[in-house]
Amino acid sequence: MNTIDTLTRLADRQAFREGLHAALQRSARAGTQMALVLINLDGFQSINDQHGQDGGDTLLREIAQRLQNLARASELVARLGADEFGIVCEQVAAPAMLSALAERIQTALRAPVVIGGEQVPVTASIGIVCGGDADVADELLRYATATVQAARSAGGDSWQFFNPQVHQRALQRMDLAHGLQLALERDEMSPRFQPIVEAGSGHIVGAELLLRWFPQQGEISPAEFIPIAEASGAVIAIGAWVFRQACLAERDWHQRWNDAAPYVSVNVSVRQLDDPGLADSFEAILRDTGADPRRLLLEITESMLMDDIDAKLRVLDRLSGMGLRIAMDDFGTGYSSLSQLARLPVDVLKIDRSFIVDIANSGESRAVVEVVIGLGRALGMKLVAEGVETADQQLELCGYGCDLIQGYYFYKPLTAAQLVKAMEEQAASGEQVPANELYFLLYVSEAVAPLSGAKLEQLLTRTRVNNANAGITGCLLYEDGHFMQILEGERGRVQETFERIRVSALHTGVRVVMQGPARRRMFTHWSMLLVDSTAARRHGPDFKDWRPDPMRFDEIARDARVCYAFITACVPDVKH
Ligand SMILES: Cc1cc2nc3c(=O)[nH]c(=O)nc-3n(C[C@H](O)[C@H](O)[C@H](O)COP(=O)(O)O)c2cc1C
């Protein structure tokens, strides 16, 4: 029997198994520790594709040589398969020896291999199993293989020790992957529809189809099964099924409500986009169901689009040519190049929920949302905010001119029957959820006694905390014992805060100059900005010389429009 791998001159798989078996027995007899180190090259297939089989062979021979040089003379080094190598280590004094070996291997492999005059970098995923984890050679090998896979899933170019828990999870994943293959046949998948509403009125205009899986053992969350479906390829069949459900829903709703029917939004994964049969499959489903493609929105996550954009662009152009509309999902979390974004046939941007969570309290989040909405507008897209859970969030989004909203504040995901009911209730009530109003209030007052810079800062520290909690932004001006302040936020909150301010013993003669609904916030990045112009002059034109007797705030406030223009001119143009 051949026990030498002819390409690399290392031991082959058969010789390795025998050596492993013998080492296990020796270590059991001597009471010493042994270990198996398994090394799998990352991306070998693509090296082979690029450099041909000869190039691949050169690489394998070079790697074999490096591993042989690294190992002690007594250690067995073998090539187990295409790009898989193994080392049996005996008399291991401490695990640190093994981690040191793994790191030496990584360093040795990283030095590029020269193939056809080109420097090709190589990395590997390494799994280490100690003798005690199993006492049978084949089992040890299986554990090592699972550990290499875990290192690979963690991104490659890394090593891991065998971990029984990780192994258990891997087994569960295999179970799930198997279950997923059968899920459609067994009728275990079911669609839910989360309504998407107009930001101001709360009126349902669309719904995102969300997939649920109910195998015998209960429900498994999409966060768990979608990545497995992607990895196993099951997502192709499941994706086609989901698209069919979306088409059926569209047709059903159109029959019920004609043009008032909600559009249907459906997720498409990167694996589906890479599938050359995708557009044909969708075309056939559209034909089959008679659904209107213009009422179907395909959601594609931002991060997956930017990888190999030209290929994706061809697919998206074809889908969009069929009349389907395209949305970019989770926008803001990836790193889209803006010029590429403009090239894509995207109709809708979905602002990621992570920016919505804090929008009522964080200037940073507001700034991001404001920029994204501005960007979408400039590119002629519609904006949908995801994950909206509170009235404050809705208020902010309306203030920035966001078109549509999706989230628990309006609706959780519904069954098809519940969605029909929600639509009927909406039609019956005829009334729409009133928009939460953005409000502003501008007042002037006089300090009871002049305030030092430190005193003013002290006052501001407290108010900034209060205002951040209440979702209030604005600006406070102080000049020669006079105050002018603008507050912006939800109506009730603004009025409540103003009541507190009014009774403060620090000032008197509090006079409201104007108040009312605001179209948008003027001060987005500050919970309260202070401009003390007593000593330091503001940036911009200095009117001091022109008017030796400058107007006080209460004089400016004689004309509310001038007063408003004066204070809103303080909007900071530099962010901190
Ligand atoms: C000119 C001025 C501006 C104020 N601005 C705010 C504000 O924006 N938000 C707030 O919650 N309170 C504001 N306050 C109120 C005080 O921070 C706070 O209600 C008050 O100081 C309560 O404490 P006191 O009884 O020690 O004055 C302001 C008070 C003054 C005098």
Side-chain angles (χ1 to χ4, degrees):
M1 190 181 301
N2 187 8
T3 58
I4 293 285
D5 171 50
T6 46
L7 177 68
T8 61
R9 313 301 302 158
L10 294 180
D12 68 4
R13 190 175 190 95
Q14 179 61 25
F16 189 74
R17 282 179 64 216
E18 282 163 16
L20 189 59
H21 179 69
L24 267 167
Q25 287 187 328
R26 269 196 302 277
S27 70
R29 268 202 308 275
T32 55
Q33 182 65 263
M34 60 80 61
L36 158 59
V37 179
L38 204 63
I39 302 135
N40 213 310
L41 304 185
D42 298 324
F44 178 67
Q45 189 55 47
S46 70
I47 295 178
N48 237 351
D49 290 346
Q50 261 178 33
H51 299 276
Q53 200 190 335
D54 286 350
D57 286 352
T58 307
L59 179 97
L60 292 172
R61 269 196 299 269
E62 172 66 26
I63 299 301
Q65 190 60 50
R66 289 184 194 176
L67 292 176
Q68 186 79 74
N69 292 346
L70 269 176
R72 289 185 296 196
S74 60
E75 286 170 345
L76 174 62
V77 183
R79 178 175 173 231
L80 305 183
D83 59 340
E84 187 177 48
F85 298 88
I87 304 178
V88 177
C89 305
E90 290 187 68
Q91 296 182 359
V92 178
M97 263 182 67
L98 296 168
S99 44
L101 172 64
E103 270 164 26
R104 283 208 313 279
I105 295 175
Q106 278 193 307
T107 312
L109 293 193
R110 278 194 201 120
V113 176
V114 178
I115 304 177
E118 200 181 316
Q119 304 234 351
V120 180
V122 189
T123 61
S125 302
I126 303 171
I128 306 169
V129 187
C130 293
D133 288 324
D135 46 16
V136 182
D138 279 346
E139 198 169 0
L140 215 56
L141 254 172
R142 258 205 316 281
Y143 288 174
T145 307
T147 312
V148 166
Q149 271 160 9
R152 161 110 358 111
S153 319
D157 194 14
S158 67
W159 56 269
Q160 282 189 12
F161 276 103
F162 170 68
N163 175 338
Q165 280 161 357
V166 171
H167 186 62
Q168 196 53 37
R169 271 208 299 281
L171 289 180
Q172 278 166 359
R173 277 175 68 93
M174 270 158 59
D175 266 359
L176 285 187
H178 180 66
L180 271 175
Q181 305 283 1
L182 305 172
L184 292 177
E185 255 171 56
R186 292 183 180 158
D187 204 16
E188 294 170 344
M189 295 280 180
S190 166
R192 294 287 179 273
F193 298 93
Q194 185 171 34
I196 297 167
V197 305
E198 268 171 8
S201 67
H203 201 80
I204 301 175
V205 293
E208 178 176 352
L209 191 159
L210 298 163
L211 187 59
R212 293 282 182 268
W213 181 23
F214 302 97
Q216 272 157 1
Q217 64 267 36
E219 183 173 358
I220 295 180
S221 99
E224 198 174 342
F225 76 79
I226 296 288
I228 296 174
E230 296 219 347
S232 72
V235 77
I236 304 285
I238 294 174
W241 183 85
V242 165
F243 185 69
R244 180 176 291 275
Q245 300 305 308
C247 289
L248 292 173
E250 195 288 321
R251 206 191 46 187
D252 176 37
W253 298 349
H254 193 259
Q255 277 165 2
R256 286 172 190 273
W257 305 300
N258 284 318
D259 290 347
Y263 70 83
V264 190
S265 213
V266 55
N267 291 283
V268 175
S269 89
V270 69
R271 269 299 281 270
Q272 286 175 276
L273 271 196
D274 287 341
D275 170 24
L278 177 80
D280 287 341
S281 147
F282 278 15
E283 204 164 33
I285 296 170
L286 280 170
R287 233 188 352 258
D288 238 32
T289 54
D292 179 355
R294 288 162 311 164
R295 307 290 301 163
L296 289 159
L297 187 66
L298 305 180
E299 296 194 9
I300 289 146
T301 49
E302 180 194 7
S303 48
M304 73 191 208
L305 263 184
M306 293 303 154
D307 188 24
D308 194 4
I309 183 133
D310 289 321
K312 307 273 189 329
L313 192 59
R314 277 193 297 277
V315 184
L316 291 182
D317 278 340
R318 164 108 195 263
L319 294 169
S320 134
M322 284 155 50
L324 291 162
R325 295 193 308 134
I326 316 275
M328 194 174 276
D329 204 3
D330 304 337
F331 190 73
T333 56
Y335 298 93
S336 299
S337 131
L338 294 186
S339 57
Q340 290 184 334
L341 181 62
R343 282 172 68 201
L344 293 165
V346 171
D347 309 281
V348 173
L349 283 189
K350 293 193 86 170
I351 309 167
D352 190 63
R353 59 182 60 240
S354 56
F355 301 115
I356 309 298
V357 175
D358 276 353
I359 190 174
N361 306 320
S362 146
E364 294 286 326
S365 293
R366 276 202 287 276
V368 171
V369 169
E370 190 181 12
V371 167
V372 170
I373 291 178
L375 174 70
R377 284 265 164 281
L379 295 173
M381 299 168 184
K382 278 240 180 250
L383 280 305
V384 182
E386 295 179 288
V388 177
E389 295 186 354
T390 67
D392 284 349
Q393 292 166 349
Q394 182 210 8
L395 171 75
E396 296 302 329
L397 290 161
C398 284
Y400 291 126
C402 182
D403 305 292
L404 305 175
I405 281 179
Q406 182 179 352
Y408 279 25
Y409 179 58
F410 286 99
Y411 294 98
K412 293 184 176 168
L414 309 175
T415 61
Q418 287 169 329
L419 183 118
V420 169
K421 195 154 161 258
M423 283 292 289
E424 279 164 1
E425 278 168 9
Q426 176 172 282
S429 76
E431 85 194 23
Q432 301 173 354
V433 181
N436 217 332
E437 203 176 29
L438 185 64
Y439 200 77
F440 83 99
L441 186 149
L442 172 57
Y443 75 87
V444 289
S445 67
E446 244 171 87
V448 168
L451 287 163
S452 66
K455 273 264 166 56
L456 277 170
E457 256 318 310
Q458 199 186 351
L459 173 75
L460 260 284
T461 315
R462 226 174 13 214
T463 67
R464 280 187 184 128
V465 175
N466 285 347
N467 293 358
N469 290 337
I472 287 178
T473 55
C475 177
L476 175 65
L477 301 182
Y478 178 76
E479 190 170 274
D480 299 327
H482 288 78
F483 292 113
M484 181 191 292
Q485 189 176 23
I486 187 167
L487 304 164
E488 315 167 303
E490 196 264 321
R491 185 188 195 124
R493 296 266 176 74
V494 167
Q495 288 172 338
E496 215 172 90
T497 302
F498 177 64
E499 270 321 300
R500 217 182 25 252
I501 297 173
R502 213 169 49 81
V503 299
S504 167
L506 292 172
H507 59 176
T508 164
V510 180
R511 180 159 68 86
V512 175
V513 181
M514 61 193 297
Q515 61 180 318
R519 205 168 51 79
R520 48 163 300 159
R521 282 183 196 264
M522 296 306 300
F523 297 86
T524 48
H525 316 300
W526 298 79
S527 56
M528 189 53 61
L529 166 77
L530 169 71
V531 180
D532 174 6
S533 42
T534 308
R537 287 284 142 198
R538 265 179 280 123
H539 297 297
D542 184 349
F543 295 106
K544 195 165 73 270
D545 295 338
W546 172 74
R547 182 185 267 276
D549 177 20
M551 283 210 277
R552 292 192 325 258
F553 291 156
D554 55 341
E555 290 174 301
I556 294 174
R558 272 193 222 138
D559 186 331
R561 289 166 306 181
V562 174
C563 186
Y564 182 82
F566 185 84
I567 193 161
T568 53
C570 297
V571 172
D573 48 8
V574 231
K575 280 180 231 153
H576 288 254

